[in-house]
Amino acid sequence: MNLFKKKYHQYSDEALVALLAEGKEAAFDELYQRYAEQMYHFFYKMLYQDQELAADFCQTLFMKVFEKAETFSSAHKFSTWLYAIASNLCKNEYRRKSKPKPIIYLAEGHMQQPLAPGFIDKEIFNRYLQSAVNKLDDKHRLCFILRYQEDKTIQEISEVLGCPLGTVKSRIHHTLKKLAIQLHQFDPKQKKLGNE
Amino acid sequence: MSKLTENLDQLLDSYSFDQLSVEQQEVALSQITREEYTLMREVILSSKQLKAPAIPPLDKDLHQQLKQAYRKQHGFKGKTTAQRWSALALGVLLGALTTAGYHWLRTDPQPERVEEAAPVVMTDTIYVQKTDTLYVTVESEPKVITKEIIKYIDRETEVLTVPITPDQPLPLAYQSEPIINKQLQDTLQGNYFNNIDLADIIPMKVGKSVGEETELMDLLREMPSDGLDNE
């Protein structure tokens, strides 16, 4: 049967959505393989580091991809479209819960390597950084995560959120400045300098 | 958003403060302090490193659960594996039949069978819708006129052969001819002499006698005599 099987991994995201709209279930499988984990992490970061909630939202997201594949416009990148749907889901969740739940978590990814003594402060810095990001208001947190944790360009963020480029730049700049002020006392370099 | 701020964000993304040129440092220092620049860059770098938090992987069954949930709700338009196999089997069968038919045509052992074949009699019905004009000349004898003549003759024969009494009304054929009727009736009544009043037939002319014509007589008297009267 593999003789007749299409090599979906060779298709672009946009071509896969078009195939999905035609009813090709295998196209959905390929899209899921490409984006499921990525979107799961996105929801995890956006929705208070709640693993179950992130999984639920990931399922809801791909259900919407299933349903709305026919409405996808090839004028946009699929990933932009996907993040736009995900962002709207997050906004709805924020509205449902009036205030985000501040959770401080330790980014365990950085602890996979043995920490050198000089990096301990860095670890503390990261922990408080995450806490500060969680305390941001929804709009600024969304912009910040999309820009620096999902590696989206300003243009892509503008399309995802449906707002002007200048607004996105302004939000990111103000978020950076706000975080810098909040984390001033945990600046590892300053401590290092202080120790020296 | 000012151009300077935009440039500052680009610098923050790309360079540490020490890596900036003198001009770039001036741009940065016009908006924030060196410490702020360093801290903002640290925030950016740290955030990028935080982008893959270690969380348990997504449940592998989620994918299948998702597809089943969608099929249950909407009915998936795509083909199932069984449908694909059925389509493949049908394709193979059609291909085999086509190949067999082709070989049968090419390797037919008795081509002369075509010559020996009995003539095929086919009956079919063809419906033709056609409009045409036919001119037909029909000749017929004037039977009506002939019949009238015969009838007339029969009437004469009837008159001549059938005795008619005076009280008996005349045959209808003669009732329209009053003069002849009267003559005929007189004859039948025995009036053999000329009892017919011509005045009934011919209108009498009223005039004068020669002797009453005085002018004519005067003219005759004045005429010269030829001498014959005296002889």
Side-chain angles (χ1 to χ4, degrees):
Chain A
M1 198 62 187
N2 289 335
L3 180 66
F4 302 102
K5 195 169 184 180
K6 291 180 180 177
K7 296 175 179 175
Y8 283 98
H9 66 274
Q10 294 177 345
Y11 285 80
S12 67
D13 294 344
E14 291 73 24
L16 286 171
V17 185
L19 289 170
L20 178 61
E22 294 172 6
K24 302 287 189 297
E25 193 174 346
F28 175 80
D29 296 341
E30 179 64 26
L31 285 170
Y32 187 87
Q33 292 298 325
R34 292 184 191 181
Y35 285 98
E37 285 291 330
Q38 183 179 334
M39 299 313 295
Y40 173 52
H41 282 91
F42 173 72
F43 283 122
Y44 183 79
K45 284 178 282 192
M46 292 300 299
L47 300 173
Y48 334 118
Q49 289 79 51
D50 187 330
Q51 183 187 331
E52 288 184 6
L53 194 61
D56 288 346
F57 271 72
C58 197
Q59 186 167 2
T60 306
L61 172 68
F62 280 96
M63 188 72 90
K64 286 195 177 293
V65 171
F66 246 136
E67 293 170 352
K68 295 178 182 291
E70 292 175 358
T71 66
F72 172 71
S73 167
S74 56
H76 296 91
K77 283 175 67 178
F78 171 73
S79 62
T80 304
W81 183 64
L82 192 65
Y83 272 98
I85 297 172
S87 301
N88 286 330
L89 289 174
C90 290
K91 286 177 190 173
N92 292 339
E93 178 65 10
Y94 296 152
R95 281 193 207 103
R96 201 175 67 81
K97 294 184 177 182
S98 59
K99 209 171 180 180
K101 193 167 54 177
I103 295 177
I104 299 173
Y105 87 105
L106 189 62
E108 294 172 6
H110 289 283
M111 298 180 73
Q112 290 171 353
Q113 299 174 357
L115 291 172
F119 281 87
I120 294 174
D121 290 339
K122 170 85 172 166
E123 195 55 48
I124 295 170
F125 177 83
N126 288 342
R127 187 191 300 181
Y128 280 90
L129 171 61
Q130 188 63 57
S131 175
V133 169
N134 287 337
K135 288 177 182 174
L136 290 171
D137 66 85
D138 301 335
K139 289 186 294 186
H140 289 86
R141 186 169 68 255
L142 194 54
C143 281
F144 183 81
I145 289 176
L146 286 172
R147 180 73 184 95
Y148 296 118
Q149 297 190 356
E150 302 296 324
D151 286 334
K152 297 293 170 196
T153 64
I154 304 291
Q155 176 67 39
E156 286 172 336
I157 296 169
S158 169
E159 291 176 13
V160 166
L161 301 179
C163 57
L165 283 172
T167 306
V168 176
K169 290 175 185 172
S170 174
R171 284 180 186 172
I172 289 173
H173 180 77
H174 285 98
T175 304
L176 273 178
K177 204 164 186 175
K178 188 175 182 180
L179 290 173
I181 292 168
Q182 286 182 1
L183 298 170
H184 180 72
Q185 57 183 324
F186 298 103
D187 180 6
K189 288 186 178 177
Q190 282 199 349
K191 284 210 167 186
K192 213 182 279 182
L193 286 171
N195 290 337
E196 288 171 358
Chain B
M1 185 143 184
S2 69
K3 191 75 178 173
L4 283 176
T5 308
E6 197 169 331
N7 290 337
L8 178 62
D9 288 337
Q10 291 173 355
L11 295 175
L12 281 167
D13 276 350
S14 308
Y15 308 107
S16 67
F17 190 82
D18 294 333
Q19 291 173 322
L20 297 177
S21 66
V22 177
E23 291 80 12
Q24 288 171 333
Q25 285 182 355
E26 286 177 359
V27 169
L29 291 173
S30 68
Q31 299 172 72
I32 52 176
T33 64
R34 175 174 180 154
E35 288 74 26
E36 282 176 333
Y37 184 97
T38 305
L39 200 52
M40 286 169 79
R41 178 158 171 78
E42 191 64 28
V43 167
I44 291 171
L45 295 176
S46 299
S47 297
K48 286 181 178 178
Q49 290 169 356
L50 284 174
K51 68 182 175 182
I55 55 173
L58 199 57
D59 186 1
K60 289 182 180 177
D61 292 337
L62 186 67
H63 184 198
Q64 291 304 322
Q65 290 171 10
L66 179 61
K67 289 205 293 188
Q68 285 173 4
Y70 184 80
R71 284 173 184 160
K72 196 173 179 182
Q73 286 180 18
H74 304 282
F76 196 69
K77 293 176 288 183
K79 293 177 181 173
T80 63
T81 306
Q83 287 173 325
R84 288 198 195 99
W85 276 107
S86 301
L88 177 65
L90 183 63
V92 169
L93 182 65
L94 286 174
L97 286 173
T98 307
T99 308
Y102 176 73
H103 281 286
W104 181 77
L105 287 172
R106 281 183 62 97
T107 60
D108 189 359
Q110 294 175 334
E112 64 275 14
R113 264 193 318 188
V114 176
E115 295 175 4
E116 294 174 354
V120 177
V121 178
M122 293 179 69
T123 305
D124 205 346
T125 304
I126 300 172
Y127 295 94
V128 178
Q129 188 174 0
K130 188 178 177 182
T131 305
D132 203 348
T133 305
L134 294 175
Y135 294 94
V136 179
T137 304
V138 179
E139 294 182 356
S140 64
E141 295 177 357
K143 291 180 181 177
V144 175
I145 298 170
T146 305
K147 189 176 180 182
E148 287 297 321
I149 292 169
I150 291 169
K151 191 177 180 183
Y152 180 72
I153 292 169
D154 287 345
R155 284 173 190 163
E156 284 187 345
T157 306
E158 187 181 359
V159 169
L160 291 174
T161 55
V162 177
I164 301 172
T165 59
D167 297 330
Q168 192 176 9
L170 284 170
L172 292 174
Y174 298 119
Q175 285 182 5
S176 60
E177 300 174 63
I179 297 170
I180 296 173
N181 283 351
K182 185 170 175 42
Q183 187 178 10
L184 198 62
Q185 281 195 351
D186 289 342
T187 304
L188 290 173
Q189 288 171 1
N191 297 329
Y192 296 104
F193 298 99
N194 188 10
N195 293 329
I196 297 171
D197 190 0
L198 290 175
D200 294 337
I201 303 169
I202 303 168
M204 185 173 289
K205 293 181 180 178
V206 180
K208 295 178 181 177
S209 68
V210 177
E212 290 171 345
E213 292 291 337
T214 54
E215 289 179 4
L216 179 61
M217 290 307 293
D218 291 339
L219 181 65
L220 288 172
R221 277 186 213 105
E222 288 174 6
M223 285 180 67
S225 174
D226 57 357
L228 292 176
D229 293 336
N230 296 328
E231 294 177 358

